[in-house]
Amino acid sequence: MDFILQNADTFIWIAVAFGFLMAFGIGANDVANAMGTSVGAKALTLKQAIFVAAIFEFAGAYLAGGEVTQTIRKGIIDSAYFEGAPDLLILGMMSSLLAAGIWLVLASRLGWPVSTTHSIIGAIVGFAAVGVSVNAVSWAKVGSIVGSWVVTPFIAGVIAFLIVLSVQKLILNTDNPFQMAKRYVPFYMFLAGFVIALVTIMKGLKHVFKDKDISLSLAEVYLIAIGVGAIIAIIGALFISRIKLEEEADKDYHFASVEKVFAVLMIVTACGMAFAHGSNDVANAIGPLAAVVSVIQSGGEIGAKATVDPRILLVGAIGIVIGLIVLGSRVMATIGKKITHLTPSRGFAAELAAASTVIIASGAGLPISTTQTLVGAVLGVGMARGIAALNLGVVRNIFVSWVVTLPAGAILSVIFFFIFKALFTV
């Protein structure tokens, strides 16, 4: 530990570089969750999606990323095993950031939508179990994460399937699709506003509320969300009522007009998801980095929490945006175009299902991957048109990449941990 403290600034800068790489990987891979369906459904062009996502991800990460974050991510490892050897925690967290960052960049290059949360957790589990002690890992937590591979995509898939069927039955498969859209789309707008308000309050702004000691009861949160949903539904109803279509116009023309309405809804939903994602998942890069900085600055003392310097938060926010700009298009293409053919109404169903699943999982205390949730929702959308509508080769590759993520992060982390240990412990 003495060697690390004597070169404290150097180690902090190295950790910042690794944290930036991790944030870059989050931007390259995870941001497609919010924007991939919008691009695939042609609601937004790729450039527009990158521009919109950059704004909302940055805002979420920097403004609502939280002043305080758990030092040890998600309680996966027991800090008691590091009390006498804080240098191992520092080197382990640095190894984890580097390992997860490299894996995410590699997966993004291949167009694989993997979980950034699972990448960093796999890396932390790897160095702790192999480098410190098998008992240092909370294996029950790891088991619940593996279980989430099945549970959350399934929930999202079922919700998306039901939303698509309802849109088809109530609007698209009727004699007058646009007339039916005028009647039912305000309800979908209410649902979208309600769910996105819940996601924003419960996930996106939870750190801001905590920092400012704002406490909202569950009833108050739901009342606010209902109010937001109602306002969006009223605005939407007024907007749709002004659109005039010739009753005798070609049915395809009616379809196109209906899809334009859903395209607007998709963009609103995508912005809310991007903000919530930025505010939450920046912690995957910032949490381990904050742990390193905190332990070094305290002279080796390991605390349960670490105050995050706003400059560190800025590193995470900028890293996410640069990763999105440089490599984000590859995973967007996989989610938006390669799994199944998306239209705005189908893409809206997938996004709304993913957002709803985030709320359900959060309320139930389930560990959740936004990537796996959205992929599950897109699969549900495809299944509503029959299994032939899915590209099963792409689906297989995605599932394989999910299974590989935890061990890949763990193996890389173990390698880097022993290299750093050999280099920096005297």
Side-chain angles (χ1 to χ4, degrees), residues 52 80 95 110 132 139 167 189 207 211 214 295 358 375 381 386-387:
V52 171
S95 306
L110 295 169
V132 182
W139 293 106
V167 171
M189 288 183 163
H207 303 304
D211 294 338
I214 298 171
V295 175
V358 168
V375 169
V381 167
I387 199 160

Side-chain angles (χ1 to χ4, degrees), residues 11-281:
F11 276 91
I12 287 173
W13 278 110
I14 293 171
V16 165
F18 292 168
F20 179 86
L21 176 67
M22 177 65 189
F24 179 95
I26 293 171
N29 204 284
D30 248 17
V31 178
N33 301 338
M35 292 294 163
T37 45
S38 299
V39 174
K42 296 184 171 59
L44 289 170
T45 65
L46 183 59
K47 285 183 180 176
Q48 288 170 337
I50 288 172
F51 180 73
V52 171
I55 291 171
F56 282 91
E57 287 279 343
F58 183 89
Y62 188 64
L63 300 177
E67 289 299 308
V68 176
T69 186
Q70 285 187 343
T71 299
I72 297 168
R73 183 77 182 137
K74 303 281 187 188
I76 289 295
I77 55 176
D78 185 352
S79 60
Y81 283 84
F82 300 91
E83 291 294 348
D87 53 328
L88 295 184
L89 181 63
I90 291 170
L91 298 179
M93 288 299 179
M94 288 170 62
S95 306
S96 299
L97 285 170
L98 181 58
I102 288 173
W103 170 247
L104 287 174
V105 170
L106 176 63
S108 301
R109 289 275 302 173
L110 295 169
W112 293 345
V114 298
S115 168
T116 56
T117 305
H118 293 178
S119 301
I120 193 68
I121 286 175
I124 291 173
V125 166
F127 96 79
V130 178
V132 182
S133 167
V134 172
N135 297 323
V137 177
S138 171
W139 293 106
K141 285 266 178 89
V142 176
S144 68
I145 289 163
V146 172
S148 75
W149 291 348
V150 177
V151 176
T152 50
F154 177 76
I155 294 170
V158 169
I159 295 172
F161 181 86
L162 295 174
I163 293 171
V164 170
L165 287 187
S166 72
V167 171
Q168 287 175 347
K169 185 173 178 59
L170 297 175
I171 299 173
L172 299 179
N173 294 345
T174 61
D175 293 333
N176 193 330
F178 193 73
Q179 200 59 42
M180 292 297 103
K182 280 187 173 183
R183 182 182 299 175
Y184 291 112
V185 164
F187 170 75
Y188 290 108
M189 288 183 163
F190 168 79
L191 210 55
F194 174 73
V195 170
I196 288 303
L198 282 181
V199 169
T200 305
I201 295 167
M202 294 171 71
K203 302 289 282 181
L205 294 175
K206 68 177 181 182
H207 303 304
V208 174
F209 288 166
K210 195 179 289 184
D211 294 338
K212 298 189 183 302
D213 290 325
I214 298 171
S215 180
L216 293 175
S217 69
L218 201 58
E220 289 171 328
V221 169
Y222 275 91
L223 278 174
I224 293 169
I226 289 169
V228 171
I231 291 166
I232 289 176
I234 291 165
I235 293 169
L238 289 171
F239 169 74
I240 295 169
S241 68
R242 292 185 178 181
I243 301 173
K244 303 297 179 191
L245 281 184
E246 298 168 23
E247 292 297 325
E248 64 278 1
D250 183 77
K251 197 171 182 181
D252 287 341
Y253 182 63
H254 280 223
F255 279 143
S257 302
V258 171
E259 291 293 359
K260 280 179 185 173
V261 174
F262 278 107
V264 175
L265 264 182
M266 276 194 82
I267 295 166
V268 174
T269 316
C271 290
M273 285 296 282
F275 182 85
H277 174 263
S279 65
N280 272 278
D281 279 30

Side-chain angles (χ1 to χ4, degrees), residues 285-366:
I286 294 307
L289 176 54
V292 171
V293 173
S294 173
V295 175
I296 290 175
Q297 289 181 342
S298 66
E301 187 180 327
I302 298 172
K305 301 273 185 181
T307 301
V308 180
D309 187 317
R311 290 172 297 181
I312 293 179
L313 216 48
L314 193 60
V315 168
I318 292 171
I320 285 177
V321 170
I322 294 175
L324 163 67
I325 292 167
V326 175
L327 272 182
S329 60
R330 293 173 185 248
V331 180
M332 274 193 205
T334 300
I335 285 181
K337 297 177 182 177
K338 294 182 181 177
I339 297 174
T340 191
H341 175 66
L342 292 177
T343 61
S345 59
R346 294 173 198 154
F348 165 73
E351 284 183 2
L352 185 59
S356 302
T357 306
V358 168
I359 291 298
I360 293 167
S362 298
L366 291 170

